[in-house]
Amino acid sequence: MQANLPISDDFSLASLNTFRIPAKARHYLRVNGAAELDAVRRDPNLTGLPRLVLGGGSNMLFTRDFDGLVLHMTGLGKEVLGEEGGKILVRAQAGENWHAFVQWTLAQGLGGLENLSLIPGTVGAAPIQNVGAYGTETKDVFHSLTAYDMASGEVRVLDAAACRFAYRDSLFKHPEGRELVVLDVSFALPADWTPNLRYAELARAVEEAGLAAPTPADIGRTVEALRRRKLPDPAEIGNAGSFFKNPVVSADHCARLLAQYPELVHHAQPDGSEKLAAGWLIDQCGWKGRSLGAAGVYPKQALVLVNLGGAQGEDVVRLARAIQADVAARYGVELEPEPVFI
């Protein structure tokens, strides 16, 4: 291996995944930018190894040790780039903590990311998952990103169309995008900001707080309070946030379910389909607060699976599969996990 690459062997990943699952990497490298990636690409001892790009480890479930090279994106830096077409452009390096970056934009007096407060993970992972919460998705405020192509060695700039954003999905989760490693992300924040209160729970919380003219920081604090009230802190209880995607079904399927379950939580989509609340389905199947061994369902939010202490990856998988089977049997709906299983 190239002497200028400070690669660690047999490296513990337990503190680098929010589920706190014990796992090791055969090789591990901190990456601050394209130079390290270029050196990896040129090293003949590394090119044939499986690679795993790691950010905050908040969307991964390790089911075994990783017998390859973990590239841990740790590059830091953020800046305001200026105004363009009524938008304020800001850029952050991939290794920046997502919530800290959101708070930084709010401290600059910039709105647009406040609904995405307190989401765990890093800036570089946000477009990969197209993270979203309280009526806002990454794609709504995205401008462009810089990525290193491990196949060609090129540094590429991709706009929103090239990223192919969809619900919890993007180019980077498909074979044609898996050689791309995100280096930095730029966001286009509105110069003329208005609060996004389309999400009913958030609108109610703002009204109850008596915020007649909320600022972006007000909305950010409200979102933080909502999330802290119903979601576990990964620093205290191992988890990966929402474990399942909200399933999308046809209008006919939804209508059949409503005839049998009038309280079904559903949201009409622009294409005529219906998005169902996975948490509601899981709760109705009686899983909230239950556990299988050391893995359990969080008592305050059925969508969150937690490590109750000493859980292995297979414990979480076993619990997830049991939940999927129950929901499928009762509602004919297939739940898809959000975290990537390693």
Side-chain angles (χ1 to χ4, degrees):
M1 298 181 188
Q2 294 189 6
N4 62 336
L5 285 176
I7 290 177
S8 300
D9 298 330
D10 198 28
F11 190 87
S12 174
L13 302 171
S15 65
L16 299 181
N17 73 93
T18 59
F19 250 120
R20 301 292 183 259
I21 298 294
K24 292 183 179 180
R26 179 178 169 190
H27 303 299
Y28 167 89
L29 175 68
R30 290 171 61 90
V31 176
N32 291 311
E36 292 95 336
L37 297 175
D38 198 57
V40 167
R41 181 176 176 273
R42 295 175 184 277
D43 190 327
N45 295 304
L46 299 176
T47 52
L49 290 176
R51 291 191 304 266
L52 173 65
V53 179
L54 180 66
S58 60
N59 197 48
M60 289 183 173
L61 176 63
F62 285 98
T63 61
R64 63 185 187 281
D65 291 340
F66 186 73
D67 189 24
L69 174 63
V70 167
L71 301 172
H72 188 194
M73 306 304 293
T74 56
L76 301 176
K78 46 191 180 293
E79 58 185 323
V80 177
L81 299 176
E83 187 169 350
E84 177 184 292
K87 304 287 186 180
I88 307 297
L89 302 186
V90 296
R91 179 168 59 205
Q93 299 302 303
E96 286 284 347
N97 175 273
W98 174 259
H99 179 59
F101 171 61
V102 172
Q103 290 186 308
W104 176 81
T105 63
L106 295 175
Q108 312 303 307
L110 301 174
L113 298 179
E114 60 281 346
N115 290 38
L116 303 177
S117 295
L118 210 61
I119 293 177
T122 57
V123 168
I128 295 173
Q129 182 71 358
N130 186 23
V131 297
Y134 294 101
T136 298
E137 289 184 316
T138 302
K139 69 178 180 60
D140 301 328
V141 286
F142 179 86
H143 179 268
S144 59
L145 61 78
T146 307
Y148 182 86
D149 190 333
M150 295 297 293
S152 67
E154 297 176 320
V155 175
R156 297 172 54 186
V157 176
L158 285 74
D159 61 12
C163 290
R164 288 168 32 192
F165 292 122
Y167 173 58
R168 301 296 181 269
D169 196 17
S170 70
L171 166 72
F172 310 97
K173 299 180 78 171
H174 297 270
E176 57 271 33
R178 286 181 180 148
E179 292 295 312
L180 299 175
V181 180
V182 177
L183 299 173
D184 63 57
V185 187
S186 297
F187 298 88
L189 308 181
D192 184 17
W193 176 86
T194 56
N196 174 3
L197 299 176
R198 292 192 298 269
Y199 197 87
E201 182 186 17
L202 178 57
R204 284 195 302 271
V206 168
E207 182 180 1
E208 290 169 0
L211 299 171
T215 65
D218 288 334
I219 301 297
R221 284 189 290 269
T222 304
V223 168
E224 282 191 58
L226 288 171
R227 291 182 67 88
R228 291 187 193 280
R229 190 165 69 221
K230 64 182 182 180
L231 298 174
D233 183 348
E236 299 175 1
I237 304 174
N239 74 95
S242 298
F243 195 88
F244 296 104
K245 298 179 183 180
N246 289 319
V248 177
V249 301
S250 68
D252 287 345
H253 190 169
C254 185
R256 290 194 300 271
L257 289 175
L258 281 169
Q260 190 172 358
Y261 309 101
E263 302 302 315
L264 177 74
V265 179
H266 63 104
H267 304 280
Q269 302 301 292
D271 64 357
S273 63
E274 295 277 350
K275 183 182 291 183
L276 308 183
W280 186 90
L281 299 172
I282 296 166
D283 190 7
Q284 294 301 303
C285 287
W287 278 102
K288 184 186 284 188
R290 287 179 57 190
S291 62
L292 286 180
V297 180
Y298 192 56
K300 297 180 181 179
Q301 172 53 269
L303 201 51
V304 178
L305 306 191
V306 295
N307 181 350
L308 297 173
Q312 303 290 317
E314 56 264 31
D315 296 323
V316 180
V317 172
R318 184 163 60 98
L319 174 62
R321 287 176 175 164
I323 292 170
Q324 287 173 303
D326 278 2
V327 170
R330 177 176 291 194
Y331 299 105
V333 173
E334 300 295 331
L335 292 184
E336 181 181 349
E338 279 198 31
V340 177
F341 290 13
I342 305 299

